[in-house]
Amino acid sequence: MTRQAIRSLRAEAAQLRRRAGFKAAAHTIPGGFFGALIAPISDSMGYMPSNTTALLGEPQTLAQNLGELDLLSIGAALVWALLLVVGAGMAARAIIISERAIGVKLILIAVPIALATAVYVLYNRIFRPFDSELEWYLFPAIGVVAMALLALLCAKERRLGGAVALVVAAVGSFGIANYAYALYPTPASFTAQPAAAEMSYAQFSKQTTSPTIDTADGESRSTGALVEVNIPPTASGFHARPAYAYIPPAYWEGAKLPVVVLLAGVPGDPKWWFDMYGAATILDDYQRTHAGRAPIVVSVDATGSRYDNPLCIDAPPRGDQPAKAIQTWLTQDVPSGLSQLFRVDRDTHRWTIGGLSYGGTCAFQVVTNHPDVYGSFLDFSGAPEPLSGTKQHTLDVFFNGDESAFAAIDPASILSNAAHNHNQGQGSAPDFSNISGVFVAGESDDGAIKALTHLNSLATQAGMASEYRELPGGHTAQVWREALRVYLPFAARRGGIEE
């Protein structure tokens, strides 16, 4: 081979190496740049791929990792806030470049700001219809969505900008609302696999073996049933919405199981414990590690509607609301009805009653006003006292202004009097020595922290075996899900299910 041929071959080899290097760079540099770009956000959202191949080269792994993104992290909140800012800017631009008069443009921008401010003042400062205030950052989100909607509706031409602004604002608002209340912790939770077989009571009555569900890998396994059931209001006459009962697999093996009665908040729905707060998944995890055994957990209505607050008492008629005998319902009808509808341990002192927010307040009212019914309680994020709006409004509407009548049903007053009478040897104080329970507050829920630490102190002084604990989160589903997971074994032990 001549020297010229050798030089030619070397030149061609060098050219091939340069081309190969260019192609590798073309693949790796953008991937590396993209990985570096998303690293700060993805790391704060709880997900950081180990390399760009895992991010870009494995679609199945990528989908799985994206499904596990933490939607409740600070990084996620920044993304939602950025979308709101972008949506607001796009809506404002759509209004400004529209053909409306300058005065109309200013009104279209000012009205959403005024609306968000008015809703904040009315909801958080004047009426305060529910147990807790709405997070402040939800109100700007309301304003941004309103501005985007006005930009779309009022544009004579070029509606595309308003439509895009509305979509961006809506996504950002949903994200920020989800961040506030922790309903969906990950993208995967939007399409979570069912953890129990849903059925009517008629279908349940015909069930002779535990139901089965299909798993993600195509297998079939035994699981519990989630039964919609109507409990007869024999003593109370209370028109309750349907209850939802989780029945574990051991039920079909003849086991007599204890009951946990759960109550939702206001606003709330009995099924929310299973739809939003993950009770079915928590119970399914528990029964799978306890040979199919778990408490029968029943979420029952304690308000009569999604938005009403009957104060968890035998409430008189109020406006368009009928009389609602909530205490009679929870202490007589619910125990007797469940004992007739299901095969349960009939010793209700081995049962637990619990709830979140209003439901937690109500559960504690039940055990303090009727310590002979349920033996245990779970108070998640409850209030210091049963209120509907202000204290004066509560007295006027429910007690005809009689403070002594309010004190007669108020747990704090009952426990204080019981401890005082017991210490002084005066009167016949209620016996709370057989009551055990837990108070749980979110670490950033200042109102619940103050209320529940005080109630826990009063409970222990009155003879209850209670404890107080804080979990990460605020007045949100994040706390309530974890609280149920942590304290389900406590309720099971109180009902006689051993670890």
Side-chain angles (χ1 to χ4, degrees), residues 214-483:
D214 294 330
T215 62
D217 56 6
E219 299 290 328
S220 181
R221 68 172 178 84
S222 177
T223 189
L226 184 61
V227 184
E228 180 179 330
V229 60
N230 291 299
I231 301 172
T234 307
S236 66
F238 173 53
H239 296 290
R241 292 168 289 174
Y244 291 87
Y246 175 88
I247 312 298
Y251 183 91
W252 286 273
E253 298 174 2
K256 283 190 176 182
L257 301 167
V259 175
V260 175
V261 174
L262 292 180
L263 313 175
V266 177
D269 185 278
K271 203 179 182 189
W272 284 7
W273 263 111
F274 296 99
D275 283 347
M276 294 186 179
Y277 309 136
T281 300
I282 294 167
L283 287 159
D284 186 54
D285 290 344
Y286 184 90
Q287 66 88 7
R288 292 176 70 182
T289 58
H290 291 79
R293 294 173 63 85
I296 292 174
V297 175
V298 189
S299 180
V300 306
D301 189 11
T303 61
S305 66
R306 181 167 292 185
Y307 297 100
D308 186 38
N309 177 359
L311 220 65
C312 192
I313 63 172
D314 285 352
R318 299 159 290 123
D320 61 349
Q321 294 292 335
K324 296 180 178 181
I326 305 298
Q327 285 283 316
T328 302
W329 160 253
L330 292 174
T331 58
Q332 296 182 39
D333 291 335
V334 169
S336 64
L338 293 178
S339 296
Q340 294 168 14
L341 292 164
F342 301 103
R343 186 182 63 254
V344 299
D345 184 340
R346 290 177 176 262
D347 181 2
T348 62
H349 214 265
R350 294 157 69 91
W351 293 18
T352 296
I353 185 169
L356 62 93
S357 195
Y358 165 90
T361 307
C362 184
F364 195 52
Q365 282 177 252
V366 168
V367 297
T368 51
N369 283 270
H370 300 275
D372 56 329
V373 181
Y374 300 90
S376 306
F377 70 88
L378 305 171
D379 184 348
F380 302 158
S381 307
E385 56 187 353
L387 293 179
S388 177
T390 64
K391 177 70 172 288
Q392 190 59 52
H393 178 267
T394 301
L395 291 173
D396 293 342
V397 171
F398 290 91
F399 303 98
N400 293 319
D402 186 350
E403 290 200 27
S404 62
F406 173 82
I409 61 91
D410 174 38
S413 300
I414 293 171
L415 294 173
S416 295
N417 291 335
H420 175 77
N421 291 341
H422 178 75
N423 292 334
Q424 298 297 320
Q426 300 174 354
S428 55
D431 182 10
F432 295 115
S433 61
N434 292 321
I435 303 292
S436 294
V438 293
F439 300 95
V440 179
E443 291 176 349
S444 59
D445 188 355
D446 295 338
I449 291 173
K450 182 178 179 181
L452 299 186
T453 51
H454 177 61
L455 290 176
N456 181 55
S457 176
L458 292 177
T460 56
Q461 292 174 32
M464 291 186 185
S466 66
E467 66 175 75
Y468 168 78
R469 181 170 177 178
E470 294 175 18
L471 295 173
H475 201 84
T476 66
Q478 176 185 6
V479 171
W480 306 326
R481 275 191 298 265
E482 185 61 18

